[in-house]
Amino acid sequence: MGYHAGDYEVIVIGAGHAGCEAALASARMGCNTLLLTINLDMVAFMPCNPSIGGPAKGHVVREIDALGGEMGRNIDKTYIQMRMLNTGKGPAVHALRAQADKFSYQHKMKETIEATPNLTLRQGMAEELIVEDGVCKGLITKTGAEYYAKAVVLTTGTYLRGKVIMGELMYESGPNNQQPSVKLSESLRKLGFDLVRFKTGTPPRVHKDTIDFSKTQIQPGDDEPKFFSYETKTGIQDQLPCWLTYTSEATHDIINANLHRAPMFSGAIEGTGPRYCPSIEDKIVRFSDKPKHQIFLEPEGRNTSEYYVQGLSTSMPEDVQLGILRSIPGLEKVEMMRTGYAIEYDAVVPTQLKPSLETKLVSGLFTAGQINGTSGYEEAAGQGVMAGINAARKVQEKEAVILDRSEGYIGVLIDDLVTKGTNEPYRLLTSRAEYRLLLRHDNADLRLTPIGHEIGLISDERYEGFLIKKSLVEQEIERLRTSKVRPEPHIQLLLESLESVQLNNSVDALSLLRRPEIEYRHIEQMTPSPLDLSDEMKEQVEIQVKYAGYIDKQHTQVERLRKMEKKKIPDNIEYSDIHGIATEAKQKLAKIRPISLGQASRISGVTPADISILLVYLEHYNRVTAAKG
């Protein structure tokens, strides 16, 4: 028999990276929130790589922070190594990456959740959604507890009908031998949701004392680390290194000799795996011309001997895994502490979602994270913060917050999912963003802090600091525009040392900074600023000045996009009634039901000709509706 266990405004199911962000956002926006998880010891657990960030993913963490989310603050408290990647390239692809102390990361996030007002953390297995007249009203747990709410956010990760696969061995399980969630999957199917089967994998873990580090290359952290959160001012001093080694010819021979035992090739795995994070057996087969592949040895934390073998994701049998490990330089005598495995799970087809991440089928039900077909902690957290914001906004009867593709990688991620869908675990890449020069790691606050403040996730104090930074950057750029640098001897010497053309006449400092070989620190020597600028502000001045032409060009493109996004499409449009649109386009438009002409134009199978006809139809439709008005 069920019993009434409590009433909330928002319930979040699952306390992984998506669930933590969703619950914190909802509670901080003033909604009485329940965060329900299968196991309290697994809050914010990292079942795979103990790291946060990297290309595109690091940008997302900065965006989560600029909106008022937690991931950036939490990794800044618990990292063991911090590195800025791609520094030899332009600022659009600079990417911060941190190795996490995975246990400390979990504990700090759980502490934050437990200390947050309006937020209740509880252990329980959600088994069925309570849906009445197409509206989600709550859920029922395995123990019969009935919880009611005005909005529910599903963030079940890889737990839905989870199945672990290791060679010939298969068993129902969530990640890291946790209980899987079986009945919730059935509940979603009964409600009419389309589900797909995806797969992800994880490598073995090995004992530190059995690694011969002398045969590997050290990978230290940055001497002066940068941080993910705009609030973090100081970091740790004693960073731990990672280590680089490579697969050998023997590794490839072992894998090729045992392919008949690999579930990927024997047909045991049904689910589609992630293209950009393939298993080692998949890599050896697909890239048979490559003699070796990189392997990174990464500490899982300060107080553990476990090392994560990055690049060696596998579902081979246990005995084969040990052979593979011992064929790698530095790991000849290694002891395996945990075996690698593949895990299959159910995911929701994401074209069934609105851009707010609310499902089209059931009102008040939101989904976020790997259940939407993505891979990666950062992609999950980015969706989580948006789902939590929009669940709270729905309860508060306010308009949903939807980031467009020019505002953030989170906007690109969600738009790709709900507009195009995905037939494999989706990973965010910088190349997926058409406005990536605007969506830089350094300017996430300039893009998103005003939104975070407006919805109540950024404090007035932090917002004041942001406005001061923005104003000082603008003042300094204006000062450079009006400051004259004269052809004095010390200036000419400096220019000569930089192999820069010397001055014949006075020139404004802004023009000098536009020269590729001149950095802001050189300008400081020529014309010191009276303003009190932080390193972050100086970086912002330099990027905005040097890339002004490109940035302006992208802003012009964005304005064109905005006009298309402003042309809203009413929800009750009957696409079958529109003459001239191709049948494929009619079917796709009717299935996805885009909210704007901009979104409609990004649906695969919808051509520019279809969009022109749709535009004419909308203008006629709006005139008729207004006349009836």
Side-chain angles (χ1 to χ4, degrees), residues 1 8 25 53 84 105 159 162 186-187 225 262 276 304 312 338 354 370 407 462 472-473 549 593 621:
M1 270 297 286
Y8 296 86
M84 184 67 83
Y105 186 92
Y159 282 80
E186 291 167 21
S187 178
Y276 298 102
T304 176
L312 208 77
R338 294 183 205 235
K354 299 174 183 176
Q370 280 187 275
E407 288 178 306
R462 178 167 166 182
L472 284 170
V473 169
R593 305 213 70 81
Y621 179 93

Side-chain angles (χ1 to χ4, degrees), residues 580-587 605 607 610 613:
I581 288 185
T583 305
E584 183 192 357
K586 283 182 183 178
Q587 289 167 352
T607 66
D610 296 323
I613 295 164

